Amino acid sequence: MMKTLQRILMVEDEPDIQAVARVALEAVGGFTVEMCSSGREALEQVGKCQPDLILMDVMMPGLDGPSTLKLLRENPETAKYPVIFMTAKVQSHEVSRYKDIGGLGVIAKPFDPMTLAASVRTLWEQNHARVG
Amino acid sequence: MPESGDRVQDALAKLKLKFAGDLPAKVARVEAQTAAFLAEPWKEQVCSETYRLIHSLAGSAGTYGHSELGSTARVAEGLLKGSLESRRPLGEPEKKELSAVLAKMRELAAAAAAG
């Protein structure tokens, strides 16, 4: 039976994107969302938050998304958390790159607030269907 | 639990209204940061900060429905990205292009704020 996606940790430094994504994920998607403003904050909060999924911006000051994922994977306690990246850069070779480093997939920016939750759910279900 | 469609639309409408009202200030911040970048000898950190600021505005403008402002900002982003990757200051033609792009962004932001 597929694990249900309920709790998302979103890592995004831009407050305007945080605000609209929260509406998109909570009000439209029905998810519970915890928000972090940086990769460093995500590393500190993830153990407390215990999300089903991390939705991570790629370009952030300090630790960017891929660097944050690398650190998550290096720690046995945080390696388990699946990550979906969000970025404006979505050419196919870039999507492959983000998957090669361990992401489930990529959601393009700008995103439609009314369909973001569905896009997240689709990537989640595709990955869990593969894992079986 | 998802909320009703009306409540979602209300919430999004409020966010969009605030964002549009804030746009002139956001573009002004981009212009000030870009002026500071261009005024001094090339520095990677300043170039990177300018690039990221423009990148953020391009992304958020698109997400909030200001697609022309978003795509215009992407042009500015491309110019800064070129400077960052080449580790070289912008040439005069690029500075002229950037100035024109920022002026267009200012105009679009003002129009968005005016509703």
Side-chain angles (χ1 to χ4, degrees), chain A residues 55-68:
Chain A
L55 191 54
M56 180 116 70
D57 188 23
V58 167
M59 190 182 291
M60 294 183 287
L63 273 184
D64 65 10
S67 301
T68 306

Side-chain angles (χ1 to χ4, degrees), chain A residues 6-113:
Chain A
Q6 290 179 314
R7 192 172 188 81
I8 295 174
L9 175 66
M10 182 156 184
V11 191
E12 167 61 61
D13 65 300
E14 174 57 50
D16 293 318
I17 299 294
Q18 286 184 355
V20 72
R22 188 182 285 282
V23 172
L25 295 171
E26 287 184 343
V28 179
F31 299 120
T32 300
V33 176
E34 295 288 335
M35 198 66 75
C36 286
S37 301
S38 70
R40 190 58 63 189
E41 191 182 339
L43 294 170
E44 291 166 3
Q45 294 298 320
V46 69
K48 194 171 88 169
C49 173
Q50 297 278 318
D52 299 311
L53 175 73
I54 300 173
L55 191 54
M56 180 116 70
D57 188 23
V58 167
M59 190 182 291
M60 294 183 287
L63 273 184
D64 65 10
S67 301
T68 306
L69 174 59
K70 184 169 181 287
L71 289 170
L72 285 166
R73 294 288 182 261
E74 285 175 359
N75 182 346
E77 292 181 15
T78 59
K80 62 184 176 181
Y81 297 110
V83 172
I84 292 174
F85 286 110
M86 292 186 73
T87 183
K89 302 174 186 176
V90 280
Q91 293 181 23
S92 56
H93 69 277
E94 284 156 333
V95 173
S96 298
R97 182 192 155 227
Y98 294 126
K99 285 181 170 177
D100 287 345
I101 64 172
L104 295 191
V106 179
I107 289 176
K109 284 181 173 180
F111 58 84
D112 179 350

